[in-house]
């Protein structure tokens, strides 16, 4: 019986051991940083499309049938790749960009499936592939930027690189945890040259700051030295003062004896001087009481009387001066009033005379103007009439000279006869030999002299205006016209006059 129990127990234990061995052989547990990719049977994983042909397990255990299914592990750890990419900027400047990309396989099943398909057997090549992806995109992005943009905004470069690589990294089942641009190498020295002005400015500011600090330090040192010298001087002065006091005390101590004797003598002299002064004061007071007081009283009396008399004279003079001043003021007021009245009267008379003179002048001027205008109008009318008469005479002369001459002779015939008879005006005695017949002949001769004038006028007109010249102009105004008689001042008939005795 005990043997049976032992066998049964051993069998049970063996069975348990076999079960445990089989369980360990078939049970697979995924670590937190890995994913189990189980293939060999048809499985459907949540989030994945049909036809995957494998199963993904993360963070738990699962049964795997040995010989039927295959289990592979895909690491979910972080990976990194060092970037060293030669690029050319928008300005054509070659650069070398250095950085690091930290990435891993995504935690979701889609990313794990994409990564499993591409890197399950080539997980060590994963950094190289990532480097290739980032290198291409970095060259493209840097080609669109300038060096200044890359230096001043590296975050922009990093963001654009991550955005450009995101789709491809997603297809690879990878996610980028970090992308850092460490360094931008400039083999041509462009960045160094860009920094030189700023570096020079910083050096300048540093030198200025250093010089300012040196100046302030020097000033502080000099101030400290001055204060030290001042303290030394004050100390030496105090020491000298103390030494002088000590010397004075020592000298005083040495001269104490002679000084005491001199002081005693000085006190005696002072007392004697005081006694003399008191004696002099007593004598002075005695003289004041005996001599000066009476003299002062007499002088005061005389001075008071003189001042009273002077004040009386001054008062009288002032009263007289005031009286004279008042009289002069009254006289001046009277004269001023009279002068003002006379001035006003004179001004009134002047204004009246000026008004009358102005009225007379204006009237005379108006009369003169009227006479002048009338004379001018008369002269103008006369001149126009004469001009018209001359014009008409000239026209008539041009048309019918004979008629004009005849008219003129007819108009002036009395004057002609008078001129002809004037030849007998100077005859005192006339003798007529043939009586009344002789008188008739004399008068006929006188009239013949007037007719001679007519012939001369016709001859003159014929000379000035030839018959064939129809366009001849009249003679000038100053020339004698046929109608005009002979000038009065011209000599009369050249025939000599002889006194003719007249007898009965």
């Amino acid at each position: 019986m005990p043997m049976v129990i032992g066998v049964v127990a051993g069998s049970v234990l063996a069975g348990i051991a076999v079960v445990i061995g089989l369980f360990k052989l078939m049970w697979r547990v995924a670590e937190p940083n890995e994913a189990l990719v189980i293939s060999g049977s048809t499985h459907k994983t949540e989030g994945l499309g049909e036809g995957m042909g494998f199963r993904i397990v993360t963070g738990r255990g699962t049964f795997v049938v040995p010989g039927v299914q295959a289990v592979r592990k895909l690491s979910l750890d972080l990976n990194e790749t060092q970037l060293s990419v030669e690029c050319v900027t928008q300005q054509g400047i070659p650069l070398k960009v250095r950085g690091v990309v930290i990435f891993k396989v995504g935690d979701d099943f889609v990313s794990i499936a994409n990564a499993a398909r591409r890197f399950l057997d080539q997980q060590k090549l994963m950094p190289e592939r990532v480097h290739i992806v980032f290198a291409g995109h970095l060259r493209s992005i840097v080609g669109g930027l300038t060096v200044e943009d890359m230096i001043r905004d590296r975050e922009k470069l990093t963001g654009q690189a991550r955005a450009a690589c995101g789709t491809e990294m997603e297809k690879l089942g990878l996610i980028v945890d970090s992308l850092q641009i460490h360094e931008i190498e400039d083999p041509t020295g462009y960045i160094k040259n860009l920094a030189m002005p700023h570096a020079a400015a910083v050096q300048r500011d540093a030198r200025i700051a250093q010089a300012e600090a040196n100046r302030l330090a020097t000033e502080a040192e000099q101030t400290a030295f001055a204060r030290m010298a001042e303290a030394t001087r004050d100390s030496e002065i105090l020491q000298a003062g103390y030494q002088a006091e000590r010397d004075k005390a020592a000298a005083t101590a040495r001269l104490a004896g002679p000084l005491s004797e001199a002081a005693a003598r000085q006190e005696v002299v002072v007392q004697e001087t005081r006694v003399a002064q008191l004696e002099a004061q007593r004598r002075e007071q005695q003289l004041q009481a005996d001599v000066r007081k009476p003299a002062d009283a007499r002088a005061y009396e005389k001075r008071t009387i003189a001042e009273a008399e002077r004040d009386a004279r001054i008062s009288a003079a002032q009263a007289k001066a005031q009286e004279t001043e008042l009289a002069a003021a009254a006289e001046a007021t009277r004269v001023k009033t009279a002068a003002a009245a006379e001035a006003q009267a004179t001004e009134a008379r002047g204004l009246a005379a000026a008004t009358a003179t102005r009225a007379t002048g204006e009237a005379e001027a108006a009369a003169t103007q009227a006479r002048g205008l009338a004379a001018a109008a008369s002269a103008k009318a006369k001149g126009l009439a004469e001009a018209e008469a001359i014009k008409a005479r000239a026209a008539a002369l041009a048309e019918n000279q004979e008629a004009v001459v005849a008219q003129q002779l007819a108009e002036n015939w009395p004057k002609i006869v008078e001129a002809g008879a004037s030849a007998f005006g100077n005859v005192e005695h006339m003798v007529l030999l043939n009586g009344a017949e002789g008188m008739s002949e004399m008068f006929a001769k006188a009239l013949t002299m007037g007719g001679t004038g007519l012939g001369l006028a016709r001859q003159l007109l014929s000379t000035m205006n030839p018959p064939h010249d129809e366009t001849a102009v009249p003679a000038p105004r100053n020339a004698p016209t046929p109608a005009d008689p002979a000038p009065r001042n011209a000599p009369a008939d050249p025939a000599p006059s002889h006194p003719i005795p007249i007898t009965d």
Side-chain angles (χ1 to χ4, degrees):
M1 189 62 183
M3 183 180 296
V4 173
I5 295 172
V7 172
V8 172
S11 299
V12 172
L13 293 175
I16 293 171
V18 171
V19 171
I20 293 174
L22 291 174
F23 180 79
K24 286 186 176 181
L25 181 62
M26 298 176 64
W27 186 253
R28 294 288 185 273
V29 177
E31 298 294 335
N33 60 342
E34 65 182 8
L36 297 179
V37 180
I38 302 169
S39 60
S41 61
T42 302
H43 297 282
K44 188 174 183 180
T45 304
E46 183 179 0
L48 298 178
E50 296 181 354
M52 291 290 293
F54 58 88
R55 182 163 55 96
I56 299 172
V57 176
T58 58
R60 61 185 177 87
T62 185
F63 282 103
V64 177
V65 179
V68 178
Q69 295 177 331
V71 178
R72 302 283 183 85
K73 293 182 180 179
L74 181 62
S75 176
L76 301 180
D77 290 336
L78 288 176
N79 295 292
E80 68 175 30
T81 179
Q82 298 293 331
L83 298 177
S84 178
V85 183
E86 294 182 354
C87 309
V88 178
T89 65
Q90 184 182 8
Q91 301 153 316
I93 300 171
L95 298 175
K96 180 177 284 186
V97 179
R98 293 184 182 278
V100 60
V101 180
I102 299 175
F103 62 95
K104 68 183 290 294
V105 177
D107 294 331
D108 58 298
F109 289 159
V110 176
S111 299
I112 293 172
N114 291 336
R117 287 194 183 99
R118 289 167 177 81
F119 302 112
L120 191 58
D121 292 334
Q122 300 176 353
Q123 296 186 33
K124 293 183 179 178
L125 298 178
M126 196 178 296
E128 183 179 352
R129 302 292 187 270
V130 172
H131 183 276
I132 293 171
V133 171
F134 272 89
H137 286 289
L138 276 176
R139 290 192 184 94
S140 177
I141 294 168
V142 171
L145 298 175
T146 62
V147 177
E148 289 81 0
D149 294 337
M150 295 172 61
I151 294 173
R152 294 168 184 169
D153 194 0
R154 289 193 182 187
E155 292 296 330
K156 179 180 179 181
L157 176 62
T158 304
Q160 290 182 358
R162 293 187 66 169
C165 299
T167 303
E168 296 182 8
M169 294 294 286
E170 185 178 359
K171 290 179 180 178
L172 295 176
L174 303 176
I175 59 174
V176 178
D177 284 352
S178 176
L179 171 61
Q180 299 293 330
I181 302 299
H182 291 163
E183 184 180 4
I184 298 175
E185 294 183 358
D186 176 24
T188 60
Y190 182 83
I191 298 174
K192 185 178 180 180
N193 293 330
L194 283 178
M196 287 181 70
H198 301 287
V202 172
Q203 290 180 0
R204 179 199 61 198
D205 296 340
R207 292 176 61 186
I208 292 172
Q210 184 63 38
E212 184 67 16
N214 293 335
R215 184 183 64 80
L216 294 175
T218 303
E219 290 180 356
E221 289 177 358
Q222 294 301 322
T223 303
F225 291 155
R227 290 180 178 177
M228 291 172 61
E230 182 179 0
T232 303
R233 180 202 61 189
D234 295 341
S235 176
E236 290 177 351
I237 290 172
L238 289 174
Q239 292 177 5
Y242 295 151
Q243 183 65 35
E245 290 179 358
R246 288 197 296 270
D247 296 341
K248 183 178 179 181
T252 303
R254 287 194 302 270
L255 298 175
L259 287 175
S260 299
E261 185 178 356
R265 288 200 303 271
Q266 182 180 3
E267 184 64 24
V268 171
V269 172
V270 168
Q271 293 300 325
E272 290 176 354
T273 303
R274 181 62 179 169
V275 170
Q277 290 177 352
L278 292 174
E279 183 64 25
Q281 290 179 0
R282 187 185 66 79
R283 291 178 180 175
E284 184 179 0
Q285 290 178 358
Q286 185 66 37
L287 289 174
Q288 289 283 345
D290 296 340
V291 178
R292 186 165 185 177
K293 293 295 182 179
D296 289 343
R298 289 192 298 272
Y300 177 75
E301 181 181 2
K302 292 180 179 180
R303 186 166 59 249
T304 303
I305 294 171
E307 289 178 356
E309 292 177 355
R310 183 198 61 190
D311 293 340
R313 289 195 300 273
I314 290 172
S315 300
Q318 288 179 350
K320 187 176 182 180
Q322 188 175 5
E323 182 180 358
T324 304
E325 184 178 357
L326 292 174
E331 182 64 19
T333 302
R334 186 185 64 77
V335 172
K336 185 176 180 181
T337 304
E342 182 64 21
Q344 290 180 355
T346 303
E347 183 179 2
R349 287 194 297 274
L351 290 174
T355 304
T357 303
R358 183 167 61 250
T360 303
E362 289 177 355
E364 290 179 355
T368 303
Q369 184 178 5
R371 285 194 296 273
L373 291 174
S378 176
K380 182 177 180 182
K382 185 177 180 181
L384 291 173
E386 290 178 352
E388 291 296 332
I390 293 170
K391 185 177 179 181
R393 189 181 298 119
L397 182 62
E399 292 178 358
N400 193 352
Q401 299 177 355
E402 293 294 337
V404 173
V405 171
Q407 183 182 358
Q408 293 293 328
L409 288 174
E411 292 176 354
N412 296 288
W413 190 254
K415 295 181 180 179
I416 295 171
V417 174
E418 184 181 358
S422 64
F424 300 98
N426 296 323
V427 177
E428 296 180 355
H429 301 284
M430 180 179 292
V431 178
L432 296 177
L433 298 180
N434 51 358
E437 187 179 357
M439 182 62 70
S440 299
E441 290 177 359
M442 288 294 290
F443 282 109
K445 288 181 181 180
L447 294 174
T448 303
M449 293 175 66
T452 304
L454 176 60
L456 291 173
R458 288 177 178 174
Q459 187 178 358
L460 180 61
L461 290 172
S462 63
T463 304
M464 296 176 63
N465 298 315
H468 62 276
D469 190 3
E470 298 178 354
T471 61
V473 295
R477 295 179 60 181
N478 296 329
T481 59
D484 293 336
R488 298 191 177 192
N489 296 327
D493 190 0
S497 62
H498 300 284
I500 301 173
I502 300 173
T503 58
D504 294 332

